[in-house]
Amino acid sequence: MEIFRGISVSPGVAIGEAVVLEAEEYRIPYRVVSANDAPQEHERFLAAVQTSIGEIEEQSTHLSAHLGRDAANVFDWHVGVLKDESLRDQISQLIKKKHAAAAYAVSTVMRSYQRRFMKMSDPLLVERMRDVQDIERRLLRHILGEAREDLAHLTKPVILVAHDLTPTQTAQLSNTKVIGVALDSGAATSHTAILLQSWGRPGVIGLGDISTHFSGGDTIIVDSTNQLVIANPTESTLAEYRVREAAYSRFSHALDDFKDLPAITHDKQPISLFSNIEFPYESRAGMAKGASGVGLYRTEFLFLRPEGAPTEDQQFIAYRDATLGAGGKPVTIRTFDLGADKYTQQRSYEQERNPMLGLRSIRYSLRNLDMFKVQLRAVLRASAHGDVRVMFPLINSLMEFRQAKMTLHDAMEDLEEEGVALNRDIKIGIMVETPAAAIQIKEFCREVDFVSLGTNDLIQYLLAVDRGNVRVSQYYIPSHPAVLRAIRDVVRACSQAEVDCSICGEMAGQPLYTMFLLGVGLRTLSMAPANIPEIKKLVRLTTLSQARRVARRALGFDTDRQVTNYLRDEMCKLLPDDPI
Ligand code: PEP
Ligand code: MG
C-alpha cells in the first residue's frame, strides 16, 4: 500500500481501478488475454520493439548527420534499453505467464524501471526517467496503434490517473465513467482544478509524480476529504474506506434535501447563492442544485474547444443558452479572462516569462479590441433574453474600466444602428482581483454597478504566489490575515457606497469560510454548483449575529493557522456529523 498527499478539489471518496492517461492520451487498462492469444500478444510486443529500434536508428542517423554524433548519443541509449535482455524478459514473462495484454505489460514494467531512476541521487540519472517515459510511449504507440482508446469509451467506473488534464479533457469527464481523479500537477485554483470542482467528483491534484507509480488496473482510493490517494490498499484499509464511501454518499444525498429550501440564515436573513459556470449547459445544472442565478460565467472556456476562437453567433448562442438556463434569474457574464494559464500562451510565438503578471484578462481584451467588441456584441444580444450583466475581470485601474465600458457602449451603438434588440441598462461590474483594485475600491464604487471579489486571483497577487504553481502552493493561503482584511475592507466600502458586492472565488464554496464571509457582510456567494447544497445547509444553520462574531474574532488573529483552527472549530460546531 502506498499513500500520496496532494490538494483536494472537491470532497468525497472514490474507490476503483486505475486508468493511467499518458501525456499522449494513451489509456492503459488492465487487460488479460486468453492463454491461446498470449503468443500473439507476445508477438505484438516483439514487433513493437523491432519497429521502435528501426525508427530510433533512423532518427539517430539523421541527427548524427545534421547535429553531430553527440546529439545522437541519447538515441543509442534508447536502443540499448530496448535491447536490454532483462527488461524484455520481464515484459515477456508478464505476457506469457500472466497473459497480460502487451500494452499493460509494457506500461507496468517500464514504470517500475522509471521509478528506479527517480530514486537515484545523480540528477543526470534522474533525467533518464524521461527517456524511459519516451521509450514507453514509443512502444505503446506501436502496440496500440489505431486501437488507442479514449475516455468516452470506458465500460466500467474507474479512477483516472494522469500527469495533467487539459481543460478540454476535464470538461469531457462528466460524459465518462470516471469516478475520481488523481493528477501529478495542478494547484487548488488552477483552471483544471476549477473544472474538476464543477464536475463534482472526488479529485486530488498536485500529487507530484503519482502517474509514474501506477499502472492500469491498480486499485486506488481517492480520499479528497483528507487530500490523500492510496494505492493498492490493504484489505482492512479498503474495508474502512468502503464504509467511508457509503457514509459520504449518504451525506451528499441528504444534502440534496436542501436544494429546494430557501437560502436564509437561521434568523431568516436571505442570502443569494449563485453558481460559477464554464459552459452554458451548467447554468441549468446550477439551478437544479438550488442556485438563484449565475454569479460568474467564465466565457473564456469557449476558446478551449478544438475548433478555437468562437464567432459572434457562436458566442451569442452560448450566452443566450446560459441565460435561458437560468430561467429569468441573473446571469453575470464575465468577459474573456484569457492569458496566464488559459489559451494564449500555447499559441503565442514567444511565451511570456511571467504570464500571471502578463498580458492577461482585461489587458488582453483591450489589446485585442476587435475580438473584445465581438464578445460584447454577443453579450448585448443575449441581454435581450434575460437578466444579463456584464463583468470585467482583473480591472486594476479606473482607466481600464472606463476603456472597457466605452468599448461596450460602442458595441451598443453599433447594434442599435443595426436595429438589434438589447438591454441598454445592462448592469456593468468589475471583479476585484488585484490589490490595486481593492485599495481603490471607493473610487471604483462611484463608477460601477456591482463588484465581485475574485479571491482566487486576489490571493495570488496579495501574497505574491502563482496560483498554478504547485511548488509554492503551501504559500497560497486564503486564511492569511491580509486576505481576510482585504475582503472586509472591500465589502465595507461597497456597503457604504450602496454598491452590490459578491464573492465568486473558490472561498465562496468552502464551508470553512461561510461564517466569516457572511459575518463581514457578504450576502451573495457564487460557487461551483456542486458546493451549493452544503453551503446552503451552513447558511441555514447560522445566524448573522453568530457570523459577525466569528468574523470579528477571525480578523483579530495574527496568523493564518490561528484563523484556520478557529474557523474549523466554529464550522464543526454547526456541522458536527458531516464527513467533510
Ligand atoms: C477569481 O480569480 O477568484 C475568479 C473567480 O476568477 P478565475 O478563477 O476564473 O480567475
Ligand atoms: Mg480571476
Side-chain angles (χ1 to χ4, degrees):
M1 176 164 108
E2 280 184 285
I3 299 179
F4 304 84
R5 275 181 198 284
I7 302 163
S8 154
V9 282
S10 56
V13 172
I15 305 172
E17 267 187 23
V19 155
V20 183
L21 190 73
E22 294 288 331
E24 289 188 15
E25 294 184 41
Y26 287 115
R27 177 168 86 71
I28 316 300
Y30 172 63
R31 193 165 68 82
V32 287
V33 296
S34 69
N36 284 344
D37 289 340
Q40 198 187 339
E41 204 61 18
H42 190 237
E43 280 306 313
R44 282 178 78 190
F45 161 60
L46 295 179
V49 171
Q50 281 322 314
T51 319
S52 298
I53 291 176
E55 211 174 57
I56 295 171
E57 285 177 340
E58 207 175 295
Q59 276 173 346
S60 170
T61 314
H62 180 79
L63 262 186
S64 187
H66 288 84
L67 298 173
R69 195 57 228 147
D70 280 354
N73 277 346
V74 65
F75 285 110
D76 294 344
W77 193 82
H78 285 211
V79 171
V81 171
L82 285 166
K83 288 185 174 168
D84 180 329
E85 285 298 333
S86 92
L87 202 66
R88 279 160 72 145
D89 198 45
Q90 282 179 57
I91 298 173
S92 296
Q93 293 305 321
L94 257 182
I95 301 174
K96 286 185 187 160
K97 295 209 169 130
K98 303 222 163 141
H99 304 156
Y104 176 74
V106 163
S107 165
T108 303
V109 173
M110 296 303 273
R111 269 152 201 273
S112 79
Y113 200 50
Q114 282 168 36
R115 284 200 286 278
R116 276 188 13 218
F117 281 103
M118 271 177 58
K119 286 188 186 134
M120 294 180 179
S121 50
D122 180 344
L124 278 178
L125 290 176
V126 174
E127 266 307 301
R128 286 289 186 212
M129 189 197 83
R130 297 200 195 290
D131 289 300
V132 180
Q133 254 171 4
D134 223 36
I135 300 165
E136 179 196 351
R137 285 193 192 132
R138 190 187 292 274
L139 282 172
L140 290 174
R141 200 160 55 230
H142 292 304
I143 291 170
L144 295 170
E146 292 308 309
R148 48 193 274 188
E149 297 169 81
D150 66 37
L151 294 173
H153 297 113
L154 291 165
T155 51
K156 61 177 173 186
V158 294
I159 305 285
L160 179 63
V161 180
H163 176 67
D164 200 359
L165 289 177
T166 63
T168 312
Q169 286 170 323
T170 315
Q172 283 160 358
L173 289 178
S174 48
N175 297 325
T176 69
K177 291 208 179 302
V178 175
I179 54 167
V181 165
L183 298 185
D184 292 347
S185 59
T189 54
S190 63
H191 287 96
T192 293
I194 285 168
L195 285 168
L196 284 171
Q197 207 174 36
S198 310
W199 174 59
R201 303 273 190 135
V204 180
I205 60 171
L207 286 156
D209 58 2
I210 194 168
S211 67
T212 65
H213 286 257
F214 292 126
S215 303
D218 285 346
T219 298
I220 296 201
I221 298 171
V222 178
D223 171 4
S224 48
T225 304
N226 293 304
Q227 327 217 45
L228 296 179
V229 169
I230 303 174
N232 298 316
T234 59
E235 281 301 318
S236 64
T237 305
L238 193 57
E240 181 198 325
Y241 268 97
R242 294 255 180 245
V243 174
R244 285 207 211 176
E245 184 185 35
Y248 194 81
S249 147
R250 274 198 306 279
F251 164 72
S252 47
H253 281 118
L255 279 179
D256 281 346
D257 297 345
F258 284 85
K259 71 178 194 310
D260 297 323
L261 296 175
I264 47 169
T265 58
H266 200 61
D267 50 343
K268 305 277 182 284
Q269 301 301 312
I271 305 295
S272 301
L273 302 183
F274 285 136
S275 57
N276 289 352
I277 65 168
E278 286 77 39
F279 301 97
Y281 64 84
E282 289 176 300
S283 156
R284 204 174 296 278
M287 302 307 281
K289 281 276 179 195
S292 333
V294 174
L296 168 66
Y297 175 8
R298 293 181 163 101
T299 54
E300 59 279 5
F301 284 89
L302 279 167
F303 275 81
L304 305 174
R305 310 162 317 147
E307 309 90 282
T311 62
E312 180 182 318
D313 279 344
Q314 284 168 336
Q315 290 186 51
F316 163 66
I317 290 167
Y319 306 153
R320 186 202 55 197
D321 288 355
T323 307
L324 296 178
K329 300 284 191 208
V331 175
T332 301
I333 300 182
R334 175 178 76 182
T335 60
F336 300 139
D337 185 11
L338 292 166
D341 58 341
K342 280 177 280 190
Y343 185 75
T344 56
Q345 289 296 304
Q346 300 92 300
R347 278 154 216 257
S348 65
Y349 290 114
E350 210 179 316
Q351 300 209 342
E352 289 176 289
R353 262 171 52 130
N354 208 339
M356 284 295 182
L357 300 180
L359 188 65
R360 65 166 293 205
S361 212
I362 195 68
R363 302 172 186 176
Y364 187 87
S365 295
L366 293 176
R367 187 70 70 84
N368 293 277
L369 276 178
D370 289 344
M371 179 183 117
F372 190 35
K373 220 160 160 185
V374 166
Q375 173 171 44
L376 295 172
R377 283 173 60 93
V379 173
L380 287 166
R381 283 169 62 190
S383 73
H385 295 266
D387 184 357
V388 170
R389 297 148 190 215
V390 63
M391 177 161 76
F392 301 124
L394 208 81
I395 291 287
N396 210 27
S397 72
L398 279 156
M399 291 308 288
E400 266 170 353
F401 173 68
R402 288 176 191 157
Q403 204 186 339
K405 193 169 162 181
M406 216 151 59
T407 315
L408 181 78
H409 282 131
D410 276 356
M412 219 178 245
E413 276 167 27
D414 290 352
L415 285 169
E416 281 179 335
E417 265 173 34
E418 293 164 31
V420 177
L422 56 87
N423 173 14
R424 236 200 170 273
D425 300 320
I426 186 168
K427 287 197 171 141
I428 307 168
I430 58 163
M431 295 190 73
V432 170
E433 307 192 270
T434 68
I439 291 168
Q440 256 201 309
I441 189 67
K442 275 194 193 142
E443 287 89 330
F444 278 110
C445 280
R446 290 191 210 117
E447 304 196 19
V448 303
D449 294 323
F450 66 92
V451 159
S452 189
L453 274 156
T455 44
N456 301 340
D457 277 314
L458 186 59
I459 295 167
Q460 87 163 335
Y461 296 124
L462 264 179
L463 304 183
V465 181
D466 177 347
R467 67 193 257 194
N469 183 347
V470 74
R471 283 192 232 178
V472 288
S473 57
Q474 78 268 33
Y475 300 110
Y476 187 93
I477 306 168
S479 57
H480 192 297
V483 173
L484 302 194
R485 285 179 213 171
I487 294 174
R488 178 209 45 203
D489 292 348
V490 170
V491 177
R492 192 183 270 167
C494 290
S495 149
Q496 280 165 1
E498 296 182 15
V499 167
D500 279 345
C501 181
S502 62
I503 172 169
C504 61
E506 300 312 297
M507 282 176 92
Q510 291 169 351
L512 188 69
Y513 299 106
T514 309
M515 281 203 269
F516 170 78
L517 298 174
L518 299 181
V520 291
L522 281 157
R523 297 291 173 265
T524 304
L525 315 182
S526 191
M527 64 202 76
N531 296 332
I532 292 175
E534 176 149 41
I535 299 297
K536 195 185 274 186
K537 180 175 177 183
L538 259 168
V539 164
R540 291 178 59 86
L541 287 168
T542 194
T543 63
L544 281 189
S545 57
Q546 225 175 344
R548 283 194 199 102
R549 180 181 53 77
V550 167
R552 253 197 317 274
R553 193 74 209 282
L555 281 158
F557 292 117
D558 298 335
T559 69
D560 59 90
R561 283 238 176 114
Q562 290 167 301
V563 172
T564 306
N565 291 341
Y566 171 68
L567 291 181
R568 183 169 298 128
D569 287 349
E570 291 297 319
M571 178 185 74
C572 290
K573 281 188 208 158
L574 285 185
L575 300 171
D577 302 324
D578 285 3
I580 49 171

